[in-house]
Amino acid sequence: MIVALIDSGLGMLPTGAWLRKLRPDIDLLLQTDPDGAPWGPKPEQWVIDRVVDTARTSVREGAEVIVLPCNTASVIALEHVRAEVGPGVPVIGTVPAIKPAAAACRKVAVWATAATTASAYQADLIARFAGEADVTGVACHGLADSIDRGDLPAITEAIASAADRTPPGTEGIVLGCTHYPLVIDAILAALPPGIRIFDSAEAVAAQTLRRMDALARPTTGTATTRVLNSHRPGHLPTAAATFDSGRRLGALPAEPVSP
């Protein structure tokens, strides 16, 4: 059984790595979109068309389960993808872990892209799931783009900026962009000791496996990882090798340049 993961860039890596860890023999189809990335600033209908078309390709390539490990794709296109592929192909979206964070912490910050931080979607999640917790959105300007480039100095700068703007007394931080778990160690290093981090990659992977097993079809794979970049066969970008999750999924660093 092939599981397809769809994202514009490297945000799929944490969920993909968890799938590989939890079910080592799983066959993965990783669909990135370098031609259209990033999706966040694009018009809504453009994103819908792009994600649905990529899901269509996934099914043609043999995928029986589709994962959208991307907040933008999940918010805008999840139901459209489900309508396109039909009930026989489970489609799993991603939701920031605001509910468990608010249940465990009195003061929470949601780190996300500027677009997500300003969105009605995040405001609605906070209104629905914050409970008695004080929840604040913190826009992490440039962090996702820096991760996609594997630009470590820019990553450090973006994290420091977000940490400076996180309210004092914050007990928990929700990683509201699927890219951010790739740099979780750097995020923890920039924060006061004791702050808890909440992300959804492991939960999304576990839900994917539950939905996969519920199909009651043979699931044993050959541990292959295929990559389509804007529908073209290829490899994960060399920037993916900057991160443990990327290396787990077979990303290779750039070849050294000969003098």
Side-chain angles (χ1 to χ4, degrees), residues 6-230:
I6 297 172
D7 187 16
S8 63
L10 301 186
M12 67 174 65
L13 296 183
T15 301
W18 271 109
L19 285 169
R20 178 68 73 223
K21 180 178 180 180
L22 295 171
R23 194 71 62 85
D25 66 340
I26 197 168
D27 291 327
L28 300 175
L29 174 63
L30 309 181
Q31 293 230 63
T32 72
D33 187 20
D35 292 356
W39 287 343
K42 301 294 196 303
E44 185 170 303
Q45 190 59 52
W46 186 98
V47 175
I48 292 169
D49 293 343
R50 198 80 170 184
V51 177
V52 168
D53 186 46
T54 306
R56 204 178 287 127
T57 298
S58 298
V59 174
R60 285 200 303 266
E61 294 291 328
E64 295 180 72
V65 180
I66 294 174
V67 188
L68 303 182
C70 168
N71 290 291
T72 297
S74 297
V75 171
I76 296 175
L78 178 61
E79 296 307 321
H80 297 273
V81 172
R82 286 175 171 162
E84 171 66 27
V85 302
V89 178
V91 183
I92 296 89
T94 300
V95 177
I98 293 172
K99 186 175 182 179
C105 304
R106 292 167 297 177
K107 194 166 187 176
V108 175
V110 183
W111 283 24
T113 64
T116 297
T117 301
S119 69
Y121 166 73
Q122 180 165 297
D124 178 62
L125 286 178
I126 292 172
R128 289 166 58 195
F129 298 125
E132 299 300 315
D134 177 8
V135 180
T136 302
V138 176
C140 299
H141 302 286
L143 181 53
D145 291 343
S146 300
I147 291 170
D148 273 335
R149 298 193 306 270
D151 186 340
L152 296 179
I155 288 168
T156 300
E157 183 178 345
I159 290 172
S161 173
D164 286 345
R165 290 179 286 109
T166 297
T170 294
E171 298 175 358
I173 289 180
V174 176
L175 302 183
C177 172
T178 55
H179 285 63
Y180 298 172
L182 292 169
V183 292
I184 192 168
D185 290 341
I187 290 172
L188 285 168
L191 296 169
I195 292 183
R196 297 177 62 181
I197 301 291
F198 297 82
D199 82 86
S200 53
E202 183 179 2
V204 171
Q207 174 67 359
T208 299
L209 295 177
R210 284 192 291 270
R211 296 294 303 277
M212 186 175 77
D213 292 339
L215 294 173
R217 302 171 191 161
T219 60
T220 301
T222 57
T224 60
T225 300
R226 294 177 55 216
V227 179
L228 295 180
N229 297 318
S230 299

